[in-house]
Amino acid sequence: MFDDRLAEVRDGLEGRYAAQWRRLREQCDWYRTQTPPTEHPSASITYFGPAAANLALAYRLTGNEGYRSEAARWISAAIGFPHWGKAHLPDHDLDAGWLLHGLSLASTWLGDDFEQAGELRAKLELQGSRLYEFAVESEGSWWSSSYWQNHNWICYTGLAAAGYTLGRTEWTDRARRNFETVIEFLPADGSDMEGVVYWRYGVPWLATYLDLLQDQEGLDWWERCRFLANTFSYRLQQCAPGFEENIDHGDCHDRRSGHSVALYRKLASAYRIGEAQWLAELVSERFFWREAYASGVKPGVMPEAYLELLWYDDSLPPVDPAKTAPLSAYFPDLGLVTARTGWDDEATMVSFKAAPGGGHQAWETSHRLDRERGWDTLSAGHHHPDSGSFVLTSRGAFLAVDEGYSNRKRAGDHNLILVDGLGYADEDRYHVYKGIPYERQARMVDVHAVDGTAHATARIAAMYPPELGVTRLDRTLVFTPGGRLVLLDRCAAESPRDWTFLLHADWPIEYGDEIALRSGSAQAWVRFHTPLTVESAVTEVEANPTSSTPGLRLTRTMHTLRATVHGSTTATLLTTIEPTSALHPTPPTARRLDLAHGFGITFDDETVLLADDEGELDPQAITTATSATPAAGEPPQRADRDGLAVRAIIQTAHRTVVL
């Protein structure tokens, strides 16, 4: 496979590909110091696949018999396992997919004169047959038809690689039909409901399959796959300022398992994205080894060495995203809004989201398929009950935080609103969207995300248990050019309820004359501008991130602020969060404006005005914000911009932003 590419790379090992070749040979040196188990361990064996591929590629490029004998040592161990996978779906899931792919590449690159060639092909035939038969028999359930999920992409790519190696066209045909559906059903905006960590784990397999398809069948599907064409933008906008850490919506083992140099290289080459080339180089030079050793995702980034080499295109110059990428972004399928004051380490950033389970396209398409065919296709277990929640980071630290990874997913583990102490209906389980009514959807509306500002409203009332009678729960978030947050929560129910605002932090929250979030060099003042009762709590979250390793546990402690309006059919909560330096803090300045219509917050150098339900703003407030001159005795105004109702106005010392 990739014969032309291999010849080109071989010619450039001492020149244009020298850095990538060094990565590959260092990875092969590492394998030489390890002892692969002779009996199947309780944990995952996915790492055997790329181990075989790395060593086989090094041999194919150099002819060094040492690489060939080392590959034989690892391949022999993999062949010796009666089953691929032990604790969960042996032969039928991720372990089988990873090993089929890596060992199929190794079989081709090592050649027919490899001492274990026949034995290896026989094992590929056995394991490929097992995986293929499972895919056929389980169609309509689990990964065989879960088009938006990493298990689908990994297993079918492994099956395709084995099919190409062995000439099993029924395997490659089935994989091609699957991916034809996948690229049609994935969101065109490139957003991934599984979150950044599973993005870096799963999305490289989409690129791997398209690469195999083009090499083996001459089919170029790169432009056809709009998800891949646009997904780097999603990943970039989920970088915390400074690029090293990631925003951790969805199941995220940690905040450092978000980069794939190999995938950045492929996206850069396939779609001519200079920013992806730049980020690949930044990660390679500054972040790679920290991620390699701090990451909770296995097998991690180190085994991708062979792809980093094969996918590197030196003809594309890198482009610094800080010079080209927008400071605000909106991904409508996932209802994801981001805004930041800059890309540097000291900048402030917010990420705010609300969408149906799996995102709009997955929700609509899966319900249609399931209704028409009697299938179960969504598999959105990595998507949290987090619509209306947000993450805030500033000065290199996370202030308002997400839970990360959990098996028992709850809205109360996010920065959301509880109603009578309860979160979403049918939560407290792994897949909180499984089997719930089609109508139970959250939505993001009234979105304006431009030039480092943002305004959006998450409508989430439908997500709560019907017996609570919640008729309205709208959260409006405004991010100002100065990096401040204004949150307006408007709540209503058929009978009196307790409405509890939650705010989670990594470190204990300070309560006193002012409420302060502190982490590292960052701090944020929290002020409530409506009456409520404030108390502190501790929230514990536990997860097993992989069924293939039952004994693995991730635990996390969050420090939680709980602010409650008691026993009311309606409640309005107006909250501000002002980031500042923890080392040299400036005092909070947020103050609520006394308006006849709408809501207003003024800071020392910024003012935020929000319209009421009728779209009306106090005329004097509009005058103050826009420097207009009102007529004497002017009545309340319904502000308009180009015939559309204005939802908010942000005024700074330098500009006025109408939203």
Side-chain angles (χ1 to χ4, degrees):
M1 300 178 187
F2 314 111
D3 282 339
D4 293 342
R5 179 62 174 158
L6 290 175
E8 177 186 353
V9 170
R10 185 183 298 111
D11 290 341
L13 292 182
E14 293 181 306
R16 57 199 291 201
Y17 302 115
Q20 289 72 33
W21 164 232
R22 179 178 179 178
R23 257 282 287 136
L24 177 61
R25 68 176 189 261
E26 288 179 347
Q27 183 64 21
C28 292
D29 286 342
W30 183 85
Y31 291 129
R32 182 178 52 82
T33 67
Q34 307 302 305
T35 302
T38 55
E39 294 186 7
H40 198 306
S42 297
S44 169
I45 60 168
T46 54
Y47 59 94
F48 275 84
N54 278 304
L55 291 162
L57 179 60
Y59 167 73
R60 182 67 177 268
L61 291 173
T62 66
N64 184 332
E65 287 294 333
Y67 293 132
R68 182 163 164 160
S69 61
E70 187 62 25
R73 190 167 69 102
W74 285 82
I75 291 170
S76 178
I79 291 174
F81 299 145
H83 301 279
W84 285 350
K86 186 173 184 179
H88 178 71
L89 289 177
D91 304 321
H92 298 154
D93 206 358
L94 295 177
D95 291 289
W98 277 83
L99 268 69
L100 279 173
H101 174 257
L103 270 67
S104 294
L105 293 180
S107 175
T108 302
W109 291 337
L110 292 171
D112 292 337
D113 60 342
F114 176 54
E115 58 267 33
Q116 294 174 310
E119 198 177 355
L120 175 54
R121 290 176 69 88
K123 183 61 170 174
L124 292 173
E125 181 77 34
L126 173 63
Q127 296 296 155
S129 296
R130 288 171 172 174
L131 193 65
Y132 173 77
E133 289 165 5
F134 179 81
V136 173
E137 293 167 1
S138 63
E139 185 174 39
S141 63
W142 193 201
W143 61 259
S144 182
S145 306
S146 296
Y147 303 112
W148 303 272
Q149 224 261 9
N150 69 83
H151 290 249
N152 175 284
W153 310 336
I154 294 169
C155 291
Y156 271 117
T157 299
L159 188 65
Y164 290 132
T165 297
L166 301 173
R168 294 295 298 268
T169 56
E170 68 273 31
W171 301 357
T172 58
D173 288 348
R174 184 175 182 86
R176 185 177 61 256
R177 290 193 300 271
N178 173 77
F179 281 106
E180 193 165 24
T181 302
V182 165
I183 65 174
E184 177 188 351
F185 287 170
L186 285 176
D189 66 8
S191 61
D192 186 1
M193 60 91 172
E194 293 195 315
V196 167
V197 169
Y198 276 97
W199 179 94
R200 75 85 55 238
Y201 179 77
V203 173
W205 291 90
L206 293 174
T208 298
Y209 177 76
L210 263 60
D211 214 23
L212 282 170
L213 182 69
Q214 187 170 15
D215 178 72
Q216 292 294 296
E217 301 190 36
L219 296 177
D220 184 345
W221 283 8
W222 294 99
E223 287 303 321
R224 184 176 175 183
C225 187
R226 302 316 300 162
F227 171 84
L228 276 182
N230 294 311
T231 199
F232 178 75
S233 176
Y234 158 78
R235 177 60 189 91
L236 181 66
Q237 293 293 343
Q238 290 292 275
C239 285
F243 299 100
E244 183 170 8
E245 295 183 282
N246 53 269
I247 302 300
D248 52 354
H249 296 304
D251 274 342
C252 288
H253 303 64
D254 54 78
R255 297 173 186 147
R256 296 188 184 277
S257 297
H259 292 300
S260 170
V261 172
L263 181 57
Y264 295 154
R265 294 297 193 195
K266 189 61 189 181
L267 296 176
S269 175
Y271 300 107
R272 315 310 293 170
I273 304 173
E275 292 82 358
Q277 190 86 311
W278 182 92
L279 189 55
E281 295 188 359
L282 177 69
V283 173
S284 297
E285 295 168 4
R286 290 182 52 192
F287 306 149
F288 182 87
W289 292 108
R290 185 167 186 176
E291 174 161 340
Y293 292 110
S295 171
V297 180
K298 306 302 178 188
V301 295
M302 289 176 61
E304 293 182 350
Y306 74 105
L307 290 174
E308 291 175 29
L309 176 56
L310 291 177
W311 283 352
Y312 175 53
D313 178 359
D314 67 331
S315 71
L316 180 68
V319 176
D320 185 349
K323 299 177 180 179
T324 60
L327 296 177
S328 302
Y330 175 45
F331 301 89
D333 190 81
L334 198 56
L336 178 67
V337 180
T338 67
R340 65 185 72 223
T341 59
W343 292 95
D344 59 283
D345 293 353
E346 298 298 300
T348 299
M349 176 194 175
V350 71
S351 186
F352 179 45
K353 67 190 291 282
H360 287 276
Q361 184 151 330
W363 186 258
E364 295 291 334
T365 306
S366 66
H367 276 79
R368 175 177 59 80
L369 289 176
D370 296 355
R371 183 175 61 253
E372 293 173 354
R373 305 180 187 181
W375 286 5
D376 180 12
T377 59
L378 183 58
S379 190
H382 294 308
H383 190 169
H384 288 204
D386 59 356
S387 286
S389 183
F390 64 95
V391 173
L392 177 68
T393 177
S394 183
R395 290 174 170 80
F398 282 71
L399 294 171
V401 306
D402 196 275
E403 58 155 312
Y405 204 116
S406 64
N407 292 118
R408 300 179 62 179
K409 295 177 171 61
R410 295 176 286 256
D413 295 337
H414 302 275
N415 300 312
L416 281 170
I417 301 287
L418 299 182
V419 183
D420 279 358
L422 299 176
Y424 287 179
D426 297 315
E427 61 171 26
D428 200 24
R429 54 183 177 142
Y430 183 69
H431 186 351
V432 298
Y433 298 102
K434 184 179 179 65
I436 68 175
Y438 169 80
E439 295 77 16
R440 192 177 295 161
Q441 302 180 39
R443 293 188 175 275
M444 192 72 80
V445 299
D446 298 333
V447 177
H448 179 97
V450 176
D451 297 333
T453 63
H455 170 284
T457 297
R459 290 183 176 166
I460 58 176
M463 305 308 296
Y464 291 83
E467 59 269 22
L468 293 176
V470 178
T471 57
R472 181 181 193 182
L473 216 165
D474 292 350
R475 163 165 285 179
T476 297
L477 178 146
V478 173
F479 184 84
T480 73
R484 298 168 171 125
L485 286 186
V486 177
L487 297 166
L488 177 63
D489 293 298
R490 286 179 271 198
C491 317
E494 295 170 351
S495 57
R497 301 292 179 189
D498 290 348
W499 310 89
T500 302
F501 175 105
L502 300 176
L503 190 61
H504 299 287
D506 285 335
W507 296 92
I509 299 171
E510 299 177 7
Y511 302 88
D513 293 338
E514 300 287 349
I515 299 172
L517 310 175
R518 287 170 61 94
S519 181
S521 297
Q523 177 175 317
W525 303 110
V526 180
R527 278 186 170 177
F528 296 103
H529 301 273
T530 45
L532 34 69
T533 302
V534 176
E535 59 183 351
S536 64
V538 174
T539 302
E540 301 282 355
V541 179
E542 181 179 276
N544 166 241
T546 171
S547 54
S548 67
T549 310
L552 180 61
R553 288 288 182 274
L554 300 179
T555 60
R556 185 169 184 187
T557 299
M558 297 187 295
H559 300 272
T560 305
L561 180 154
R562 298 169 59 94
T564 303
V565 175
H566 294 281
S568 177
T569 55
T570 62
T572 300
L573 288 70
L574 185 60
T575 309
T576 55
I577 304 178
E578 297 179 71
T580 184
S581 167
L583 306 179
H584 305 286
T586 57
T589 63
R591 178 174 59 85
R592 182 172 181 176
L593 297 174
D594 184 14
L595 303 179
H597 297 272
F599 306 87
I601 292 289
T602 184
F603 302 97
D604 59 351
D605 57 356
E606 293 181 320
T607 298
V608 176
L609 305 175
L610 294 165
D612 62 17
D613 288 344
E614 285 70 44
E616 293 183 347
L617 286 166
D618 188 294
Q620 186 58 45
I622 295 176
T623 300
T624 302
T626 62
S627 301
T629 303
E634 183 177 353
Q637 293 185 10
R638 180 175 178 82
D640 289 280
R641 179 192 59 196
D642 299 330
L644 300 175
V646 169
R647 298 296 182 183
I649 296 174
I650 302 174
Q651 182 188 39
T652 73
H654 305 290
R655 59 175 173 150
T656 297
V657 182
V658 181
L659 310 175

